[in-house]
Amino acid sequence: MSWRDLPPLTALRAFAAFAESGSVVAAGAQLNVSHAAVSQQLRALEQHMGLALLRRRGRELVLTSEGRELAAALTEGFGHIADSVAALTGAEAERPLRITTTPGFAASWLMPRIADFRDRHPEIDVVIDPTGTIQTLGPGGFDLALRYGAGEWPCCESLLLVDSDVVVVAAPALVGDRQVDGIADLADLPWMQELGTSEASDFLAAHGVAGRAQRGMTSLPGNMMIDAARDGLAVAVIARAFVAADIAAGRLRELYADNRKKGYFLVTPEGVLRPPARAFAQWARRQVAAEQGGADVPGTLLKKS
């Protein structure tokens, strides 16, 4: 197809609207433009094609034989386009909202709040995929993610939901009252990290502990890791927000803190969101606002990375 030889789309739309409605006034109303603008587009189309598509009969404009042939082709073509757009957008609107996040965040933050979202939006089906693997966001796949980091993901926008340092914790039964001056003082203990991540391994390496913990590393879902830490099975690396109550109650002991990362973010792809994803993003903003004392979350928190 030679796209350069095709008439301007605006002129074709005006002609198709005229052919369907029978007058320039009605065509202008359908296109939300003036009848003079429609007349101008009709003249431009005839000039582009070098054909007489319309002829005047009294005070009316009627189609010539060439005009009827073009009108039939445009009605069929635009009809197919309209049907396809309706089918595609309808299917997208009905497709479940797909959220990817870590098991720990799903269990500790999302699940205690998701009932409120369901009450507000019973028409939206939700699929939550708890995994430590960073999934790709985009059309036909995951609509949004809830991720831990500094808010810097390429081609995405992010909104801080939970501001939290990373902490190293363990049950008093495991560490007792030992003096901890650095991560090296914990290298002789078993360690845990969330399945699909290398947080604890990276943490050890960043603090000068070569290789791995002397008693091994266990990877398991985040919600199970919290239970295992409470039971004194191993040292855990986790966001402080998820274990703050355990630390305050003495079930876990905070051994080290790292504030290099910011917290958990709502991450969405750039561009226009599907209605279900937009509804979830707005709901998440309200959750943050309510937990910050009722003030609305400023738009500047949403940022492109």
Side-chain angles (χ1 to χ4, degrees):
M1 179 182 295
S2 176
W3 294 101
R4 292 183 179 181
D5 292 339
L6 288 176
L9 178 59
T10 303
L12 292 175
R13 289 176 68 242
F15 183 80
F18 169 82
E20 180 183 83
S21 64
S23 76
V24 292
V25 174
Q30 288 183 358
L31 298 172
N32 196 30
V33 299
S34 68
H35 65 86
V38 173
S39 297
Q40 183 179 4
Q41 291 298 330
L42 296 180
R43 290 192 297 271
L45 181 61
E46 287 185 313
Q47 183 177 0
H48 180 94
M49 297 185 66
L51 293 171
L53 303 173
L54 303 160
R55 61 182 176 85
R56 187 167 296 279
R57 187 173 61 188
R59 301 182 62 182
E60 294 181 330
L61 283 176
V62 297
L63 299 176
T64 63
S65 59
E66 292 86 355
R68 288 192 297 272
E69 183 175 348
L70 178 60
L74 291 176
T75 298
E76 181 179 4
F78 282 132
H80 283 315
I81 293 172
D83 290 343
S84 296
V85 169
L88 289 171
T89 55
E92 278 292 281
E94 295 175 0
R95 186 169 63 82
L97 171 66
R98 298 190 66 200
I99 301 170
T100 174
T101 188
T102 63
F105 191 80
S108 300
W109 191 91
L110 183 56
M111 296 314 298
R113 294 168 174 79
I114 197 66
D116 181 72
F117 179 77
R118 303 296 300 122
D119 290 342
R120 294 175 184 272
H121 299 281
E123 77 284 1
I124 299 177
D125 293 329
V126 180
V127 175
I128 300 171
D129 179 37
T131 176
T133 303
I134 294 181
Q135 304 283 13
T136 301
L137 306 180
F142 288 98
D143 294 288
L144 54 88
L146 302 166
R147 295 176 179 165
Y148 192 84
E152 299 173 354
W153 291 278
C155 303
C156 291
E157 296 179 345
S158 57
L159 168 68
L160 181 63
L161 295 180
V162 178
D163 189 352
S164 178
D165 295 342
V166 171
V167 293
V168 178
V169 297
L174 179 65
V175 295
D177 58 358
R178 72 160 63 189
Q179 180 70 28
V180 179
D181 296 319
I183 296 301
D185 295 329
L186 303 170
D188 63 314
L189 297 174
W191 280 61
M192 295 182 294
Q193 62 190 3
E194 187 157 20
L195 186 66
T197 74
S198 59
E199 287 181 344
S201 300
D202 294 344
F203 202 88
L204 287 166
H207 289 82
V209 179
R212 62 186 183 87
Q214 295 173 22
R215 292 173 59 185
M217 180 72 66
T218 301
S219 297
L220 67 168
N223 54 325
M224 296 178 63
M225 184 173 70
I226 296 175
D227 290 337
R230 291 174 183 145
D231 291 339
L233 299 182
V235 175
V237 177
I238 195 167
R240 180 188 281 114
F242 300 155
V243 291
D246 292 287
I247 294 171
R251 291 184 294 270
L252 292 174
R253 180 182 164 193
E254 182 178 322
L255 304 170
Y256 194 86
D258 184 351
N259 61 4
R260 289 176 300 171
K261 292 186 178 181
K262 188 67 174 176
Y264 276 90
F265 288 78
L266 169 70
V267 184
T268 56
E270 291 179 346
V272 179
L273 297 178
R274 293 195 307 124
R278 187 164 60 250
F280 186 91
Q282 292 170 346
W283 170 81
R285 287 174 67 89
R286 286 195 297 269
Q287 292 292 310
V288 174
E291 292 165 16
Q292 290 180 350
D296 193 13
V297 179
T300 53
L301 280 182
L302 275 173
K303 63 181 183 179
K304 292 185 178 180
S305 300

